[in-house]
Amino acid sequence: MAILPNQPQRVLSGMRPTGALHLGHYHGVLKNWVKLQHEYECYFFVADWHALTTHYEEVTVLEESVWDMLVDWLAVGVNPGSACLFIQSRVPEHAELHLLLSMITPLGWLERVPTYKDQQEKLKERDLATYGFLGYPLLQSADIMVYKAGLVPVGEDQVAHVELTREVARRFNHLYGREPGFADKAEEAVKKMGKKNAKLYQELRRKFQEQGDTQALETARALLDSQQNISLGDKERLFGYLEGGGRIILPEPQALLTPAAKMPGLDGQKMSKSYNNTISLREAPEEVEKKMRTMPTDPARVRRDDPGTPEKCPVWQFHLVYSDEDTRNWVQQGCTTAGIGCLDCKQRVIEAVLAELAPIQERARQFEQDKGLVRNIIHEGTEKARDVARQTMQEVRQAMGLEY
Ligand code: TRP
Ligand code: SF4
């Protein structure tokens, strides 16, 4: 497996600009980003080109959606001091890498991605028999690899895209990592580690290649990992040489599966704009209250004195997200004995949701009033992202014989 454990794991994730975000995004994705930004070097971007792969006919709302989404990211605490935030289309290197990768990606790999047929089925009203739509998982691969990201936080539905990325990375390294004189260069690099480490490396490499000893592989990787005196290029060679392949130019990323979001919509289905069951992060408090008061409950509770079953009620799903054990016990007890009314029960979650939203909305107002600030944040993030992306593209061009 061609990963490069010597680099601090870089995290990359993107989100399509769908406009104002809702509680489902918050609990399903953004809370996780806020946590990750303290643990890794994070790159989070607005996938505006991805939006066009399906919504190419609706470009007028795109700009507003992009800024709305960014305000929401900032409002929930995605911190530009910790994470690099940017917009995909401002970093044209994504497109260049996508193009170059398209040269080596078999059509069948793309046709086999499960989302390809699924989404075409699901979005029947759109014509998705386009080149861009078929290629979008490869665009995602380029998004990831142009930063040499090691970890990609995604939901279940996107794991196949990370898997495709790994296959494309392997193919790329196989095709272009075999520079002339690779073995000689690798042997030169081994020497630079010093006598003792060089000997150890060779031993471990032999153990892995001759006996398939994966423990030896791990140890050798850790050894390379700790080398301070060799260049990154040499390190890449030595990682590749270890496994018998060529130089690792594009490392294989791993999916960081986001725990399945338990955040239900107002009707108990998954919260989604297309189901019209959302509470947006900037929903006015009166509106939150109104929406939740009219939420459906266990249909068995027709009258106040009919007992109910929380497991049959979407409000209970909210308690599972928002309430502590005492409150949950109170619901279980009160609902099953008709001791509490549904409005009493809902009131507790209404308060919890409002308490969660209040500071988010306060911050959102500040960013809304200062669009210049948001633009500056994105400008800076884009510059930083481009520096990394440019560097990768230089290596890629060189590997593909395009450095004239
Ligand atoms: N395809 C992802 C989605 O639809 C968004 C995305 C684009 C992405 N590029 C990415 C996610 C790179 C992770 C990494 O949700
Ligand atoms: Fe649902 Fe609560 Fe009413 Fe029970 S009491 S049906 S859990 S809203």
Side-chain angles (χ1 to χ4, degrees):
M1 188 173 39
I3 50 173
L4 280 180
N6 59 318
Q7 295 187 337
Q9 290 273 55
R10 203 174 263 157
V11 164
L12 173 118
S13 203
M15 204 188 273
R16 290 172 182 235
T18 50
L21 302 183
H22 53 64
L23 285 176
H25 296 111
Y26 180 57
H27 287 275
V29 182
L30 294 172
K31 257 174 39 181
N32 190 38
W33 285 13
V34 170
K35 182 166 100 29
L36 289 170
Q37 71 185 352
H38 301 300
E39 299 166 3
Y40 299 99
E41 181 190 354
C42 288
Y43 289 76
F44 298 131
F45 72 97
V46 179
D48 55 348
W49 279 336
H50 284 263
L52 289 178
T53 62
T54 48
H55 290 59
Y56 53 83
E57 285 177 308
E58 293 153 46
V59 295
T60 48
V61 293
L62 194 58
E63 182 175 3
E64 200 182 299
S65 299
V66 168
W67 295 112
D68 272 346
M69 187 163 89
L70 284 167
V71 165
D72 284 341
W73 288 5
L74 295 165
V76 300
V78 177
N79 179 355
S82 311
C84 176
L85 308 180
F86 63 97
I87 298 172
Q88 181 185 34
S89 64
R90 298 262 188 94
V91 186
E93 284 77 9
H94 291 232
E96 187 184 351
L97 185 55
H98 179 207
L99 174 85
L100 293 178
L101 295 177
S102 78
M103 308 298 175
I104 65 165
T105 305
L107 265 182
W109 290 10
L110 293 170
E111 286 161 347
R112 263 190 277 117
V113 172
T115 44
Y116 182 57
K117 293 253 150 52
D118 289 358
Q119 291 289 98
Q120 278 185 336
E121 279 295 305
K122 224 160 128 189
L123 302 175
K124 267 219 176 84
E125 71 286 1
R126 298 175 198 280
D127 179 4
L128 293 182
T130 58
Y131 180 51
F133 184 70
L134 176 67
Y136 104 84
L138 189 64
L139 177 58
Q140 184 163 352
S141 299
D143 298 338
I144 296 167
M145 291 196 281
V146 86
Y147 302 99
K148 301 190 179 183
L151 294 171
V152 185
V154 284
E156 192 81 61
D157 59 320
Q158 299 278 312
V159 173
H161 297 168
V162 180
E163 199 44 55
L164 171 77
T165 307
R166 295 162 61 84
E167 283 175 33
V168 174
R170 279 198 287 271
R171 185 162 166 83
F172 185 94
N173 295 325
H174 178 77
L175 287 168
Y176 307 116
R178 291 164 192 269
E179 38 183 2
F182 173 73
D184 292 344
K185 282 186 187 168
E187 287 294 338
E188 277 307 306
V190 175
K191 289 192 192 127
K192 292 183 196 157
M193 283 197 289
K195 239 193 178 131
K196 196 168 127 250
N197 287 332
K199 188 160 165 256
L200 183 57
Y201 173 88
Q202 295 289 28
E203 253 171 46
L204 293 165
R205 175 170 178 266
R206 209 171 309 115
K207 273 196 186 151
F208 173 66
Q209 292 197 359
E210 289 173 11
Q211 299 152 32
D213 182 341
T214 52
Q215 190 57 47
L217 177 64
E218 285 306 308
T219 314
R221 281 200 183 128
L223 175 71
L224 288 178
D225 211 5
S226 67
Q227 297 302 304
Q228 311 276 338
N229 297 329
I230 52 177
S231 68
L232 183 58
D234 274 342
K235 247 187 206 188
E236 289 171 349
R237 276 183 199 99
L238 291 177
F239 273 110
Y241 194 48
L242 194 55
E243 297 173 53
R247 199 156 74 91
I248 294 166
I249 302 155
L250 297 175
E252 290 175 44
Q254 284 179 300
L256 195 63
L257 197 60
T258 311
K262 291 281 182 303
M263 189 67 222
L266 291 161
D267 54 1
Q269 297 186 78
K270 179 182 166 185
M271 189 177 278
S272 160
K273 219 154 97 180
S274 50
Y275 297 149
N276 205 7
N277 63 358
T278 63
I279 294 177
S280 79
L281 295 177
R282 284 185 264 168
E283 195 94 50
E286 313 80 69
E287 203 49 38
V288 173
E289 208 154 339
K290 201 165 101 194
K291 282 186 170 179
M292 296 195 63
R293 281 168 168 270
T294 51
M295 268 176 82
T297 60
D298 177 1
R301 291 205 77 180
V302 183
R303 282 180 301 270
R304 167 70 176 75
D305 49 9
D306 293 330
T309 313
E311 286 71 24
K312 294 182 181 160
C313 174
V315 180
W316 173 244
Q317 300 295 320
F318 273 71
H319 278 290
L320 290 177
V321 176
Y322 284 97
S323 299
D324 59 16
E325 208 181 321
D326 282 351
T327 307
R328 288 190 208 166
N329 288 339
W330 170 80
V331 175
Q332 282 291 347
Q333 166 73 17
C335 180
T336 50
T337 60
I340 58 173
C342 288
L343 281 177
D344 307 324
C345 179
K346 288 174 170 177
Q347 194 55 36
R348 297 269 181 115
V349 260
I350 291 173
E351 276 158 24
V353 170
L354 291 177
E356 177 175 76
L357 290 181
I360 294 176
Q361 298 194 344
E362 176 51 37
R363 277 195 299 267
R365 263 191 294 279
Q366 287 167 12
F367 287 111
E368 270 180 312
Q369 280 163 11
D370 196 350
K371 284 281 161 62
L373 175 61
V374 183
R375 280 180 188 276
N376 280 340
I377 289 170
I378 295 313
H379 181 73
E380 274 179 31
T382 305
E383 289 300 303
K384 183 176 168 201
R386 272 202 95 169
D387 282 345
V388 178
R390 275 199 194 99
Q391 176 63 38
T392 306
M393 286 319 296
Q394 238 172 32
E395 294 170 33
V396 167
R397 280 187 219 115
Q398 194 184 20
M400 292 183 79
L402 297 168
E403 202 66 271
Y404 308 116

